[in-house]
């Protein structure tokens, strides 16, 4: 059996998310559903199971870190017209994962769940749609309502102590889930986000720390204000947020 196309998981949380994925509507965006696509061995959800070690991960990171990208990328780069996967393990690819390893320790990466605000593929060959395209996703009320419902399901299953937005669009997406705590993030621009680069949000009975960083596949820290305007300064921001998440986790456990 080709493990690259098996959609079952030993983690019941991922099974729940796979089932929920079928109910996510693309609205009028033209985004491509991944519900019936083959699944990679190691990749961001929904292209994979969202864990750096795939099904070899020893546990699902409840109370861990949620890392949120925009969408999974281009349909043309995910599979052939016949549906055959073009890659089964994205964690060894250059780009996103190289950048993630520069920002997180291996132990921290293994305590993360990696997914996307819009759990879809998009049409075209570019893996990074321009900002106007993502702005359209944010304005699509059907798409956003459906993706936010999926996001709430994810939060219930993961109960993250820390949420890390990779770029302005995922940060703006999170602001729709927590409009009071992260109102500034809705501007979908660093000049807005940098007024409040971190925050604490309340989701039901638990709280989570939040932070927004530039996408790890691109060296865009220079777009931020001086306090976070280099890779080193942005890593410091992330590490402070990780420490806030660790404190939240300790408080939850009573230690």
């Amino acid at each position: 059996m080709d493990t690259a196309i098996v959609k079952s998981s030993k983690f019941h949380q991922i099974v729940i998310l796979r089932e929920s994925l079928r109910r996510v509507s693309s609205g009028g965006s033209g985004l491509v559903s991944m519900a019936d696509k083959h699944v990679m061995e190691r990749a961001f959800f929904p292209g994979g199971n969202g864990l750096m070690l795939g099904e070899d991960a020893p546990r699902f990171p409840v109370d861990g870190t949620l890392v949120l990208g925009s969408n999974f990328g281009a349909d043309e780069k995910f599979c052939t017209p016949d549906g055959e996967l073009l890659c089964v393990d994205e964690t060894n690819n250059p780009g996103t994962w190289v950048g993630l390893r520069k920002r997180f320790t291996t132990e921290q990466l293994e305590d993360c769940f990696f997914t996307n605000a819009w759990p879809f593929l998009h049409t075209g060959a570019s893996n990074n749609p321009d900002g106007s395209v993502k702005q359209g996703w944010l304005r699509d009320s059907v798409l956003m309502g459906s993706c936010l419902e999926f996001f709430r399901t994810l939060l219930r299953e993961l109960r993250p102590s820390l949420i890390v937005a990779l770029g302005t669009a995922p940060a703006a997406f999170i602001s729709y889930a927590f409009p009071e705590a992260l109102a500034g993030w809705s501007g979908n621009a660093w000049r807005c986000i940098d007024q409040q680069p971190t925050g604490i949000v309340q989701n039901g009975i638990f709280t989570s720390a939040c932070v927004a960083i530039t996408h790890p596949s691109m060296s865009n820290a220079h777009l931020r204000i001086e306090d976070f305007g280099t890779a080193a300064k942005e890593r410091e921001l992330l590490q402070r947020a990780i420490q806030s998440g660790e404190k939240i986790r300790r408080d939850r456990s009573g230690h």
Side-chain angles (χ1 to χ4, degrees):
M1 181 178 295
D2 185 351
T3 58
I5 66 172
V6 173
K7 294 187 179 182
S8 62
S9 175
K10 68 182 183 183
F11 303 107
H12 73 271
Q13 296 93 342
I14 295 172
V15 173
I16 290 171
L17 293 175
R18 288 267 171 227
E19 293 172 350
S20 300
L21 190 65
R22 294 188 172 278
R23 299 190 290 273
V24 183
S25 171
S26 61
S29 66
L31 287 166
V32 179
S33 173
M34 301 191 73
D36 295 317
K37 299 284 188 181
H38 292 174
V39 176
M40 296 166 67
E41 293 174 0
R42 297 184 182 185
F44 272 59
F45 187 90
N49 76 354
L51 305 176
M52 189 178 75
L53 298 179
E55 287 296 307
D56 292 329
R59 66 179 187 88
F60 187 82
V62 174
D63 295 326
T65 299
L66 169 60
V67 178
L68 194 71
S70 291
N71 78 310
F72 197 80
D75 191 15
E76 292 181 16
K77 292 188 176 181
F78 182 71
C79 60
T80 67
D82 295 330
E84 181 181 350
L85 292 173
L86 296 175
C87 174
V88 295
D89 182 356
E90 71 171 10
T91 63
N92 292 319
N93 291 351
T96 299
W97 285 93
V98 170
L100 287 170
R101 288 185 172 94
K102 291 179 179 178
R103 290 160 174 79
F104 295 87
T105 67
T106 298
E107 182 179 5
Q108 289 168 346
L109 288 172
E110 292 178 3
D111 197 42
C112 292
F113 184 76
F114 302 91
T115 187
N116 294 280
W118 297 277
F120 294 93
L121 294 162
H122 62 266
T123 57
S126 171
N127 257 340
N128 185 32
D130 64 35
S132 63
V133 172
K134 296 174 186 177
Q135 192 64 41
W137 299 346
L138 288 162
R139 290 194 300 263
D140 187 324
S141 59
V142 174
L143 172 67
M144 283 297 294
S146 191
C147 288
L148 284 167
E149 184 60 33
F150 180 80
F151 184 65
R152 294 183 187 103
T153 299
L154 172 60
L155 293 178
R156 288 194 296 270
E157 295 301 321
L158 182 60
R159 296 185 308 162
S161 57
L162 173 64
I163 303 172
V164 181
L166 303 181
T168 62
F173 177 91
I174 294 172
S175 77
Y176 280 70
F178 306 105
E180 295 183 4
L182 298 172
W185 289 19
S186 63
N188 192 20
W190 288 117
R191 67 179 181 277
C192 304
I193 294 168
D194 283 347
Q195 302 307 307
Q196 183 195 354
T198 62
I200 301 293
V201 298
Q202 184 77 33
N203 185 69
I205 62 172
F206 66 86
T207 59
S208 303
C210 292
V211 65
I213 62 173
T214 54
H215 197 281
S217 68
M218 296 172 281
S219 300
N220 283 338
H222 65 279
L223 299 175
R224 309 193 68 167
I225 64 173
E226 184 177 355
D227 288 350
F228 321 118
T230 67
K233 290 179 178 179
E234 197 174 54
R235 281 195 296 271
E236 291 175 3
L237 172 67
L238 175 60
Q239 290 306 312
R240 290 196 297 271
I242 289 172
Q243 290 170 6
S244 295
E246 291 173 346
K247 181 180 184 305
I248 287 172
R249 183 189 295 199
R250 290 194 298 272
D251 291 344
R252 289 180 187 177
S253 65
H255 294 98

